[in-house]
Amino acid sequence: MDAAARFSEFLARNRLRLTQERRTILDEMLQIRGHFDADSLLVHFRRKERPVSRATLYRTLARLVEAGLVHKIEMAEGQAQYEVMVGRHHHDHMICLECGRIVEFESRDIERLQEEICRRKGFRMTGHMHQIRGQCAACSSGASRRSPAPPKRRRATASARKRVR
């Protein structure tokens, strides 16, 4: 089943319709490779002169996450990054609190340990999100000073660093 059919089915189960705006958002997101935030997606729609409201975009992103078509990655200061999961498999993330870089990784050992712990505790796991926060190699070596992060991300992570200390 393709992404549009899966999303339409999810919406129908929740007594919602696949409107033109929702379809436009889905179609454009399926073209994105990598991580993105809602604001950059909104800028993308405005640049292409596609009429998508901020409220509809945020509501649709939430529905796409609920439907399992998109994964939400919580960043510092309540910000979020998203990634399309259609045609992809499960993976986890390392998030740099300095520059905002997201590094994807897979670990059979971590997956095995999670399953083992759940089994021992009698817990039935239905899913998980594993995030490691810290500094990427470039930031911990000082290389990030030569290639600064976008200003928006830097402000958010600077205040997050203050909270962590």
Side-chain angles (χ1 to χ4, degrees):
M1 182 183 307
D2 74 343
R6 284 177 52 196
F7 191 43
S8 183
E9 186 178 286
F10 168 84
L11 291 170
R13 280 194 314 269
N14 289 279
R15 299 174 195 249
L16 298 167
R17 293 181 307 114
L18 182 58
T19 63
Q20 185 58 47
E21 272 188 308
R22 287 177 178 147
R23 180 62 194 240
T24 298
I25 292 168
L26 176 64
D27 289 344
E28 288 295 323
M29 284 178 44
L30 290 174
Q31 304 304 312
I32 297 173
R33 298 291 172 246
H35 304 98
F36 59 92
D37 63 34
D39 288 338
S40 64
L41 195 55
L42 194 59
V43 167
H44 170 80
F45 284 119
R46 288 185 177 151
R47 204 175 294 139
K48 286 186 120 181
E49 298 181 11
R50 296 270 174 94
V52 173
S53 74
R54 179 181 298 275
T56 298
L57 176 62
Y58 277 92
R59 283 192 303 266
T60 302
L61 278 170
R63 298 287 187 214
L64 287 162
V65 169
E66 289 174 43
L69 298 170
V70 172
H71 183 211
K72 181 178 181 179
I73 305 162
E74 297 291 339
M75 304 294 283
E77 291 287 305
Q79 293 181 345
Q81 292 275 319
Y82 298 88
E83 64 182 321
V84 175
M85 294 305 293
V86 176
R88 299 195 66 201
H89 60 279
H90 172 77
H91 56 272
D92 297 305
H93 298 97
M94 290 182 276
I95 301 169
C96 181
L97 297 174
E98 190 78 25
C99 69
R101 178 179 289 138
I102 300 171
V103 179
E104 296 178 356
F105 71 94
E106 297 174 28
S107 170
R108 289 184 182 161
D109 291 337
I110 290 174
E111 298 299 321
R112 183 184 47 74
L113 283 171
Q114 289 172 152
E115 292 168 8
E116 181 182 316
I117 291 167
C118 287
R119 198 171 32 257
R120 275 190 279 155
K121 300 289 185 180
F123 190 83
R124 187 176 65 87
M125 178 171 42
T126 58
H128 77 277
M129 290 182 285
H130 185 80
Q131 295 181 352
I132 300 172
R133 298 171 185 270
Q135 283 187 321
C136 68
C139 289
S140 58
S141 71
S144 66
R145 290 184 195 96
R146 290 189 294 274
S147 57
K152 179 178 167 187
R153 191 174 280 154
R154 178 176 285 162
R155 279 195 302 272
T157 57
S159 59
R161 284 193 308 274
K162 288 177 187 171
R163 276 188 305 145
V164 171
R165 290 181 188 161

